[in-house]
Amino acid sequence: MKILAISGSARRNSTNTAMLQAVRAVAPSEIEISIFDGVGRLPVFSPDLEGENLPEAVRDFIDLIAQSDGVIIASPEYVRSIPGGLKNAIDWLVSGDEIVHKPIALLHASHRGDDMLAGLRTILATVTDRFACNIFLRLPLMKLEPAEVFKAVGAAENRSRVQAYLQAFSAYCLAGSKIA
């Protein structure tokens, strides 16, 4: 099972990116997690740049989506909304087929952020018919340094919650591949 985990944060010491790295470290051996933390490096979406003019960074991002069995998104909330970099990354995907039938689930690193999550859920339910709205995990990691995030995710209770989340998402991804 190949999962692409997308960090919606462009911050160098992002809690979301650290959480995804910690989740990868405790993932069951049958689940391979790759992390994309480059939303801030993608150029601003423009339909004029699609097709032959597609920037290499965008092409690489789209290829990562296409090669994955499923996508997990972890994002901070900025001003009660989705960060611009994450929205921009999603905009780059809407003209292609790579995201249309791709299973996607959310993972959240804060006790707050419900407005952003509601908006992101609406967007994801629009761009894919495989948004797993019921597969969701929230870990209270806000304001922790990356090393503290690893320690918190690795703690027995959180480790078992993360593994159950990943196994549920993996089963969801596999169920769809048998139908398709």
Side-chain angles (χ1 to χ4, degrees):
M1 176 62 49
K2 292 183 178 183
I3 302 294
L4 177 65
I6 298 173
S7 175
S9 177
R11 242 179 92 218
R12 188 174 339 115
N13 289 321
S14 161
T15 301
N16 286 279
T17 303
M19 176 183 62
L20 293 174
Q21 292 167 341
V23 165
R24 177 176 55 194
V26 302
S29 61
E30 68 274 9
I31 300 174
E32 176 186 325
I33 298 176
S34 301
I35 298 171
F36 180 78
D37 63 355
V39 296
R41 293 187 298 273
L42 296 175
V44 173
F45 172 74
S46 169
D48 294 337
L49 296 177
E50 292 183 300
E52 307 176 353
N53 299 319
L54 193 66
E56 185 177 352
V58 175
R59 182 172 287 114
D60 292 345
F61 174 61
I62 291 171
D63 287 346
L64 289 172
I65 298 281
Q67 295 166 13
S68 70
D69 296 311
V71 174
I72 291 172
I73 298 176
S75 180
E77 176 183 73
Y78 292 167
V79 195
R80 298 179 64 181
S81 190
I82 301 162
L86 178 59
K87 177 64 169 74
N88 182 60
I90 294 169
D91 288 346
W92 278 112
L93 300 170
V94 297
S95 294
D97 295 332
E98 296 80 11
I99 200 73
V100 175
H101 304 295
K102 191 65 63 175
I104 300 177
L106 296 177
L107 182 60
H108 196 59
S110 176
H111 63 283
R112 61 185 194 194
D114 291 333
D115 291 333
M116 180 279 300
L117 289 167
L120 187 53
R121 285 180 174 112
T122 299
I123 291 168
L124 295 176
T126 303
V127 299
T128 179
D129 59 6
R130 300 284 323 281
F131 175 53
C133 60
N134 295 325
I135 300 174
F136 175 71
L137 180 61
R138 172 176 265 163
L139 298 169
L141 305 171
M142 194 170 102
K143 299 192 182 207
L144 296 181
E145 293 296 320
E148 296 170 308
V149 170
F150 270 81
K151 185 176 180 179
V153 171
E157 179 184 323
N158 285 334
R159 176 186 290 260
S160 64
R161 291 176 63 212
V162 166
Q163 291 176 340
Y165 165 83
L166 291 172
Q167 288 168 335
F169 185 55
S170 178
Y172 180 79
C173 293
L174 288 171
S177 68
K178 293 175 185 173
I179 296 169

